[in-house]
Amino acid sequence: MTAAVPATTLPQATPRRARRPAPRPKAAVTLPPPPPAADADPDFRALDRALRATAARMTQGLSPSVLLEAWTDWALHLSASPGRRLGWTLAAADAAGQFAVWLAEASAAGDAAPLVEPQPGDHRFADPVWRQWPHVAVAQAYLLGERLLLDAARRVPGVARQHENELAFLFSQWADVLSPTNVPWLNPVIMGHTLQEGGANLARGWLNWMEDAGRLMKGAPPAGAEEFQVGRDVALTPGAVIYRNRLMEVIQYAPATPTVHAEPVLIVPAWIMKYYILDLRPENSLVRWLVGRGHTVFMVSWKNPDAGDRDLSLDDYRRLGVMAALDAVTAAVPGQRIHACGYCLGGTILSIAAATMARDGDDRLASLSLLAAQTDFAEAGELMLFLDERQVSLLEDLMWTQGYLSGGQMSGAFQLLRPNDLIWSRFIRDYLLGDREPMTDLMAWNADATRMPARMHGEYLRGLFLENRLSAGRFAVEGRVVALRDIKVPIFALGTARDHVAPWRSVYKINLFSDTTVTFTLVSGGHNVGIVNPPAAERGSYQILTRQHDQRYVDPDTWAASAPSHGGSWWPAWEEWLRSIGQTAQVAPPRPSTTLCPAPGEYVHQA
């Protein structure tokens, strides 16, 4: 039903008033636009980025919010977990009781089996004097405390796994700082040297520290590096630069045999360091060794970018790097397919280039060798602990002010992955014992760091590390996605057992994403020493096994348990693999049609 409308009540009449003139219409008022938001003002953005970049320099590129969030998550959940706190307290009390009993027995007997052994790879207490009383008691007390400290970061209900790993890493750093090996009066090795030399070791250590501090302020290389000059002491394999662009040079090495294998080898090294780790001294040069076995070898030598190269992209390293190098090799050795080999980052960009070539029907590759190179970053090791949006954003702000990420800023992060080997052991040896470790060619190369262009490094961290686009099928080249499974040439993939940069299980995952025959090799050693292992050194070992493209996938641990092991260098196994999949024809060595300058070229000398 429709509601009834009440009758309208008219108002009563009121006395007539004088009529006022109608007001003039007001002019339209145009209000000023609202001020732009701070985020839209480039000056404000610049202020914010400059402030964050300053903070990044102070923290060596580590985002404070990452640590704060991990600590807060752990502290809040631990405060709400009385059972976990009680369990840890009882464990600490039990450890204290065991230590007290052990201490009484050890002090009476002067010798006792240790309660706790150091972790594998921990050499801080390797000197036999640490087994003697009373130093063994100091070592055991520390190792028990270290174990309790690291256990405190684990198994707290509700803490995110990422935060748990971050905090465990932070606790391990604290434990390393507090080690009695770093305290002169608690370290019997240091005290023995000091008493024996009358303090001369400390005087030498002070001089060493003064020299290192002076070199650091001047930006000079470490002491002894001047004994390994590029082109004089290292990077000596004869050759010539046959191509150069704004990003890299291509070196063609001179033949050492009357005839050579028809198919050449192109090596793409990492641009995070200089190429000559693969051409150090003649006795440990992989390049010279390959040339001596009749291979025509080409090498990419990357430019050391500066602030003017801030806009170089990751795809520029593919186009101006890998693809331009392939064009140069094709021009030098026409009509032959190429065995392409990539090391570390060079292997990653080579994989992207190979997938793009397979997508586009470019069949110039004969094989693909990936040395300690990752194509999947889901298990990229401890580098991933603090790599999230906040961390990448902070690094981008730091690179925005500089145009690049310096070698020193990168080396600090790598040193934190192995603080006992790379920081504290050197501190003890150089400054407390006063003994300089003799400089080696590999150490001098490691000090010859390079920079990373801002745009490229940001794209690399986001697209590969943070979002893992390549193995997820979301990495686009020239607007179209590329897939690793499109690569049909044989793959030789190599991981190193003690690799903190590219963990071997991460490198192994090329088996998951490829649809071709993969020969995987696991070598002893780390990211650099495992690679530079000439046969004449007669050290190390390796495992090798081939999976055909139609065979089932085998997980890395099962592979490691079944792959046969061999002593010595992996170089002969790789060279035999190259010969087995390549042409058997021997040809006259190709001569460079263009020579820009002798090897090692110009870019390798850039500081």
Side-chain angles (χ1 to χ4, degrees), residues 79-135:
S79 65
S81 305
R84 178 68 181 95
R85 298 199 306 273
L86 179 61
W88 187 89
T89 303
L90 292 176
D94 181 63
Q98 292 183 37
F99 180 72
V101 173
W102 174 89
L103 190 63
E105 295 176 352
S107 60
D111 186 19
L115 282 173
V116 184
E117 292 287 353
Q119 293 293 323
D122 184 355
H123 306 294
R124 290 174 294 178
F125 303 98
D127 195 293
V129 71
W130 282 107
R131 295 283 181 173
Q132 300 174 10
W133 181 263
H135 312 302

Side-chain angles (χ1 to χ4, degrees), residues 232-531:
R232 189 196 71 183
D233 307 291
V234 293
L236 297 177
T237 304
V241 174
I242 63 168
Y243 177 82
R244 179 187 296 125
N245 61 25
R246 62 174 296 210
L247 187 56
M248 62 88 187
E249 295 174 329
V250 176
I251 301 171
Q252 179 178 350
Y253 291 97
T257 53
T259 61
V260 296
H261 297 283
E263 296 173 335
V265 176
L266 170 64
I267 301 178
V268 182
W271 57 85
I272 195 173
M273 299 293 290
K274 294 183 179 178
Y275 83 89
Y276 64 91
I277 184 176
L278 302 175
D279 184 28
L280 292 168
R281 292 171 294 112
E283 53 266 33
N284 62 357
S285 168
L286 176 61
V287 170
R288 184 179 289 260
W289 189 84
L290 286 172
V291 170
R293 274 145 189 80
H295 293 276
T296 301
V297 179
F298 296 81
M299 175 74 74
V300 170
S301 174
W302 300 101
K303 176 188 177 184
N304 192 4
D306 54 28
D309 300 309
R310 63 165 57 241
D311 291 324
L312 282 172
S313 67
L314 184 60
D315 196 56
D316 287 332
Y317 276 79
R318 180 192 66 87
R319 292 186 307 103
L320 301 177
V322 177
M323 300 310 298
L326 287 171
D327 292 341
V329 175
T330 300
V333 191
Q336 296 292 343
R337 296 198 304 163
I338 302 165
H339 297 280
C341 172
Y343 176 30
C344 190
L345 288 180
T348 301
I349 198 67
L350 178 59
S351 300
I352 294 171
T356 306
M357 294 170 69
R359 182 197 67 185
D360 298 340
D362 187 338
D363 61 354
R364 283 182 290 172
L365 295 184
S367 69
L368 183 66
S369 296
L370 305 175
L371 311 181
Q374 298 175 98
T375 52
D376 178 87
F377 294 82
E379 298 178 82
E382 292 179 332
L383 281 176
M384 294 295 295
L385 280 178
F386 301 98
L387 195 61
D388 59 10
E389 177 61 35
R390 297 161 299 178
Q391 183 64 50
V392 173
S393 178
L394 191 73
L395 288 176
E396 287 176 337
D397 292 333
L398 177 61
M399 293 186 293
W400 171 77
T401 60
Q402 302 176 161
Y404 56 82
L405 191 68
S406 71
Q409 290 163 335
M410 284 183 286
S411 65
F414 290 123
Q415 287 178 343
L416 286 177
L417 297 181
R418 298 169 56 201
N420 288 325
D421 294 334
L422 300 180
I423 299 177
W424 298 114
S425 63
R426 183 192 169 196
F427 171 80
I428 294 170
R429 180 184 62 250
D430 289 8
Y431 306 139
L432 298 179
L433 297 179
D435 296 330
R436 286 282 197 196
E437 182 177 4
M439 180 64 66
T440 65
D441 52 1
L442 191 58
M443 293 168 62
W445 166 85
N446 193 56
D448 193 7
T450 60
R451 296 173 287 270
M452 304 276 268
R455 178 181 174 186
M456 183 283 304
H457 197 47
E459 291 174 347
Y460 174 75
L461 291 178
R462 285 188 180 277
L464 296 176
F465 265 96
L466 200 59
E467 300 177 10
N468 204 17
R469 294 179 190 172
L470 182 58
S471 63
R474 293 184 289 107
F475 193 94
V477 175
E478 297 176 347
R480 292 187 295 152
V481 169
V482 297
L484 294 171
R485 65 181 294 106
D486 288 342
I487 301 173
K488 300 303 180 184
V489 297
I491 294 176
F492 182 96
L494 180 144
T496 59
R498 297 195 302 274
D499 201 324
H500 294 268
V501 179
W504 77 268
R505 287 177 175 82
S506 179
V507 175
Y508 181 86
K509 295 180 79 172
I510 186 65
N511 284 280
L512 274 175
F513 307 109
S514 60
D515 186 25
T516 186
T517 299
V518 177
T519 298
F520 188 79
T521 303
L522 177 62
V523 305
S524 59
H527 189 73
N528 298 327
V529 176
I531 300 298

